Amino acid sequence: QVQLVESGGGLVQPGGSLRLSCAASRSIFSTTVMGWYRQAPGKQRESVATVTRDGITMYADSVKGRFTISRDNAKNTLYLQMNSLKPEDTAVYFCCATYWPDDYWGLGTQVTVSS
């Protein structure tokens, strides 16, 4: 079993920034891929950004150029730097880690972008 704990969410004004963190209870070096997902009220969960063990990143079109995903294997932590936030970024953000073939999810952290 792996526990993932997200932090760093909160209320921010449009145009602001937040950095989300996801701390894993087990070494993330052996993960094949880690990612951030989000779910807004009344909508399905969607992929925001992913990063492979080799450092290959992928982003949703809606966040390209604004969000940056990174992983620190030494700290067993995944990050999501979010800049130029928009109201439509409001959602619960979840961290996911794939220790092949199993996926583990955190409980999420709320991000609210509002003036």
Side-chain angles (χ1 to χ4, degrees):
Q1 283 292 337
V2 179
Q3 282 74 49
L4 302 174
V5 180
E6 301 96 335
S7 61
L11 173 63
V12 63
Q13 292 187 341
S17 298
L18 284 174
R19 187 175 83 152
L20 305 183
S21 299
C22 171
S25 62
R26 176 178 154 188
S27 172
I28 66 172
F29 181 78
S30 56
T31 59
T32 52
V33 63
M34 297 188 73
W36 289 96
Y37 297 76
R38 66 186 181 187
Q39 187 166 19
K43 295 187 177 181
Q44 289 188 332
R45 189 172 297 188
E46 63 176 356
S47 175
V48 175
T50 59
V51 59
T52 69
R53 180 168 50 194
D54 297 327
I56 298 171
T57 58
M58 293 186 67
Y59 296 91
D61 287 343
S62 60
V63 307
K64 281 180 181 177
R66 301 188 297 123
F67 291 10
T68 302
I69 189 171
S70 61
R71 55 191 290 169
D72 187 332
N73 290 342
K75 295 183 178 180
N76 295 328
T77 302
L78 179 73
Y79 301 99
L80 185 68
Q81 178 66 44
M82 305 187 295
N83 298 328
S84 302
L85 283 161
K86 304 176 180 179
E88 51 264 43
D89 295 318
T90 295
V92 178
Y93 284 71
F94 299 89
C95 169
C96 180
T98 300
Y99 294 82
W100 186 261
D102 300 315
D103 291 336
Y104 296 91
W105 292 85
L107 296 179
T109 184
Q110 176 71 47
V111 171
T112 302
V113 184
S114 175
S115 55

